[in-house]
Each structure stands twice: as C-alpha cells, then as structure tokens.
Amino acid sequence: MPSTDRTLIAMERKFWQSMVDEDTDTALAMLSEPSLMVSAHGAMQFSHDQYRQMAEHGDMVIKSFEFSDMQVMYPSEDTAVLTYRVRQEVAHRGDGAKPVAQEMADSTVWVRKGDEWRCVMHTETECNEGQGKSAAARKTAAGEH
C-alpha cells in the first residue's frame, strides 16, 4: 500500500476516533472551512463553528467504529477520495441508553493544501440488509464461488 494511502487511512481513523473521544478540536484541525456533508439529514455546508455545535450538542454520539473495504482513489495529485464500509455504534447523548449498531457506506474527499490534507466532504449512507457485507461475503451468502 502506498505511503499516501496509509497516511489518508490513518487520518480517517483519527477523525473518527476524535468523534468517539468527543475531541472537537482534533476534528476541526482536519476539516476544511467550509466543509460539506451528505447524510440521511440531507446535504449541508458547515463552518468550523457549526461543526463544533453539532459535535458538542448534537442528539447522537458515536461510541465505536470499525472500517472495512477501504479504497483510496486520486482524481488528481492533490485530491483523494476514500470509500469504505463502517460498522458504528451510536447512542443518544447523555441518556445512558445502550448503543445501536449501524452498517454504513461512507466516503470522504480529502484535498491537499501545501503539505497538509483537509477533509472537504463526507457522505454516509445506511446499508440495507445484505448491503453491509463485502462483495465476497455477498457471493458466499448467495452460494456463489
């Protein structure tokens, strides 16, 4: 795996870990301003101040995550797109409820500015039954070899 791929995957993990740790400053240091996001809540552009509000006061928190099927592509020398599946556990903020597991398909666009990469866009889509599995697992489940 090329060095830049490893760097970007490590940054993606660091960003997710910042959400688990509720470490907003680490996340903000990795975000472009403004940034974009597409989720079940729609498409939005947000500033660092708006991210801080979402991260520190939003209804849901991420408790854990596990990546699979990570792929990295470079549309240009200074742009990288990561796609992956993530199994995440989320819970309502502060109510002590048991976390709920979700299988998601995500993507992140990173742009290099000087020597640093910044996240400019993130998408997340909840996987339907069967979509949360890798292609090999789907073939095995379908009886294909």
Side-chain angles (χ1 to χ4, degrees):
M1 175 183 307
S3 173
T4 305
D5 287 10
R6 285 192 298 275
T7 297
L8 289 162
I9 291 168
M11 291 180 67
E12 194 76 23
R13 288 185 195 286
K14 182 177 179 179
F15 192 92
W16 276 78
Q17 191 60 51
S18 77
M19 291 188 291
V20 171
D21 296 341
E22 298 185 45
D23 179 0
T24 306
D25 291 332
T26 293
L28 289 174
M30 301 172 79
L31 285 171
S32 178
E33 186 168 26
S35 294
L36 300 169
M37 183 170 59
V38 179
S39 70
H41 303 289
M44 66 181 294
Q45 179 174 302
F46 57 91
S47 67
H48 280 189
D49 287 341
Q50 289 168 314
Y51 179 83
R52 183 176 297 282
Q53 179 67 26
M54 290 184 291
E56 295 177 359
H57 303 286
D59 292 339
M60 303 298 286
V61 292
I62 296 175
K63 294 298 193 177
S64 67
F65 67 94
E66 182 179 331
F67 294 153
S68 63
D69 298 334
M70 181 76 71
Q71 296 188 35
V72 182
M73 184 182 116
Y74 300 91
S76 72
E77 183 178 314
D78 294 324
T79 303
V81 179
L82 278 68
T83 62
Y84 54 94
R85 297 194 182 277
V86 61
R87 182 184 187 283
Q88 62 187 24
E89 290 192 338
V90 298
H92 286 279
R93 182 182 301 279
D95 71 0
K98 181 179 177 184
V100 174
Q102 296 176 324
E103 297 286 336
M104 308 293 281
D106 285 21
S107 68
T108 305
V109 178
W110 293 88
V111 173
R112 185 172 26 212
K113 296 180 180 181
D115 291 337
E116 297 181 345
W117 289 93
R118 294 284 185 258
C119 172
V120 296
M121 181 175 181
H122 181 76
T123 71
E124 58 183 25
T125 303
E126 190 165 7
C127 295
N128 294 328
E129 185 65 32
Q131 286 183 321
K133 300 176 183 173
S134 68
R138 287 192 301 273
K139 284 183 179 180
T140 300
E144 300 174 26
H145 299 285

